[in-house]
Amino acid sequence: MKWNDLDLEIPLSDSQVGSIRPTIEKFLRESRHHFCEPKIENSFLRINSSDLINLLDRAECLNEFDYFRFRSLAVKAISKIGRRKRDPLIVQHYRRCEEIVRNLKSQE
């Protein structure tokens, strides 16, 4: 794994695709430091796992249901990729990302 890879692929519903685009724009505009530019390809969000938390912090456009579903799918994607890794440092990275996303509070 390179730290500047789009290592996560998170499936998106049609409503999430429409809502996540402004979130990505806001993320890129407000985040001075990010590993790579997230992309939407074929209803999948491709994003660097280290950038995911900052993107979720700016996800105001998603309704409560889409936000909850997105977080759930993100946790599954992080867990899946983390199980395939052997390097303890990389495994720890994915476990920490998963823990952070699991513990995020819903938007208010």
Side-chain angles (χ1 to χ4, degrees):
M1 170 190 155
K2 294 180 185 173
W3 295 107
N4 61 349
D5 283 345
L6 296 172
D7 57 339
L8 295 179
E9 282 192 357
I10 303 168
L12 302 172
S13 68
D14 290 341
S15 64
Q16 288 171 320
V17 168
S19 298
I20 207 79
R21 286 186 198 282
T23 301
I24 291 172
E25 291 170 9
K26 184 177 181 183
F27 167 74
L28 293 173
R29 191 174 54 248
E30 293 179 358
S31 177
R32 293 186 177 152
H33 306 285
H34 57 276
F35 289 90
C36 335
E37 187 171 323
K39 298 178 183 178
I40 297 175
E41 297 174 347
N42 300 323
S43 296
F44 282 87
L45 172 64
R46 297 190 63 228
I47 188 167
N48 182 280
S49 55
S50 297
D51 290 332
L52 179 64
I53 287 85
N54 288 328
L55 180 87
L56 283 169
D57 190 42
R58 292 165 175 82
E60 299 165 356
C61 302
L62 293 172
N63 66 45
E64 188 74 23
F65 177 76
D66 281 343
Y67 183 78
F68 177 80
R69 183 172 182 265
F70 180 76
R71 280 184 31 227
S72 175
L73 292 170
V75 166
K76 288 179 184 176
I78 295 166
S79 177
K80 180 179 176 181
I81 197 167
R83 286 191 307 266
R84 294 187 301 196
K85 302 299 179 182
R86 299 288 176 241
D87 183 317
L89 180 61
I90 294 172
V91 170
Q92 183 179 9
H93 164 76
Y94 286 112
R95 283 186 183 150
R96 183 66 182 134
C97 287
E98 182 180 346
E99 179 184 334
I100 291 168
V101 173
R102 274 187 199 280
N103 292 321
L104 286 174
K105 302 291 182 207
S106 61
Q107 301 168 333
E108 296 176 4

